[in-house]
Amino acid sequence: MLTEQLTSGDVQTFLKQLSTAIELDQVNVDSLPRESFSTTYDDSRWRTWRHDHRTYIEKLLPTVDAIPPVMLEKMTEIAATYEPAHVRSILQALFAEIVSGCRADDLDTAEKFFGALVKEISGQRHGSARHADPRASLLQWLHATDPLRIAHDPEVGHGQVRHLDVANLRRA
């Protein structure tokens, strides 16, 4: 039995910190010398990508309080049992599908978005039971440095990015 269930406040904190990490990633990129990027790097494209993710997150935030307890229970189970890196990769793919317009279903609320995450991850093997603190695990779904993994795109070509400390993200 999990004792510390995730709350809508935990989810809201996660989304706010993700939005802040994306914003800080743009600031980080803006501070890099142009020579750090490949000649095919499209600044406008990646700036728009970050902006669109933040816009989508802002759309989800007002709906977080409507996430039903049963959904929070499922999210708690995922946070406690799945490796955060695994959940992070699924979240990144889900965000990318939505922001790029490749996802046909309407995921315009936090309940629908996290419901899609639960559906995507359900049935997948999660390895040995971790029984980790769900709140701490949830925050590990956030990759504070390059949260959208843009630096890994071959077009970007700026290699290693500076690391940001997730604990020091300013609260939005």
Side-chain angles (χ1 to χ4, degrees):
M1 177 83 180
L2 299 172
T3 57
E4 292 191 41
Q5 182 166 317
L6 294 174
T7 66
S8 59
D10 298 324
V11 176
Q12 190 166 50
T13 296
F14 166 75
L15 289 172
K16 286 179 178 181
Q17 287 190 353
L18 177 58
S19 182
T20 299
I22 294 168
E23 178 183 19
L24 292 175
D25 184 54
Q26 184 64 60
V27 169
N28 183 41
V29 168
D30 289 345
S31 72
L32 296 172
R34 180 68 184 141
E35 306 81 53
S36 299
F37 301 90
S38 73
T39 56
T40 59
Y41 179 75
D42 185 346
D43 180 68
S44 177
R45 173 183 171 201
W46 295 113
R47 192 173 295 276
T48 299
W49 188 244
R50 288 181 188 93
H51 174 269
D52 290 352
H53 275 75
R54 292 190 71 225
T55 298
Y56 179 67
I57 291 167
E58 291 300 318
K59 183 178 179 180
L60 294 180
L61 279 169
T63 68
V64 167
D65 286 337
I67 297 174
V70 68
M71 177 70 63
L72 291 169
E73 287 174 20
K74 290 177 183 177
M75 291 174 63
T76 300
E77 180 181 342
I78 288 170
T81 59
Y82 285 81
E83 288 297 325
H86 179 67
V87 180
R88 182 185 316 124
S89 69
I90 293 171
L91 273 173
Q92 288 167 342
L94 185 58
F95 271 115
E97 288 174 3
I98 293 165
V99 170
S100 68
C102 293
R103 186 108 183 180
D105 44 350
D106 184 23
L107 303 178
D108 60 347
T109 67
E111 178 183 359
K112 291 177 184 177
F113 175 78
F114 287 105
L117 170 68
V118 168
K119 182 178 178 181
E120 184 75 27
I121 208 166
S122 66
Q124 293 187 9
R125 190 175 69 85
H126 53 76
S128 60
R130 293 178 62 243
H131 302 293
D133 173 25
R135 286 184 181 91
S137 194
L138 174 71
L139 293 178
Q140 290 175 22
W141 294 357
L142 162 67
H143 200 288
T145 302
D146 190 22
L148 303 178
R149 310 310 287 161
I150 293 171
H152 295 273
D153 190 285
E155 174 190 293
V156 176
H158 65 73
Q160 190 76 14
V161 292
R162 285 183 243 158
H163 293 280
L164 300 172
D165 182 359
V166 71
N168 291 325
L169 289 176
R170 63 182 159 83
R171 302 238 176 205

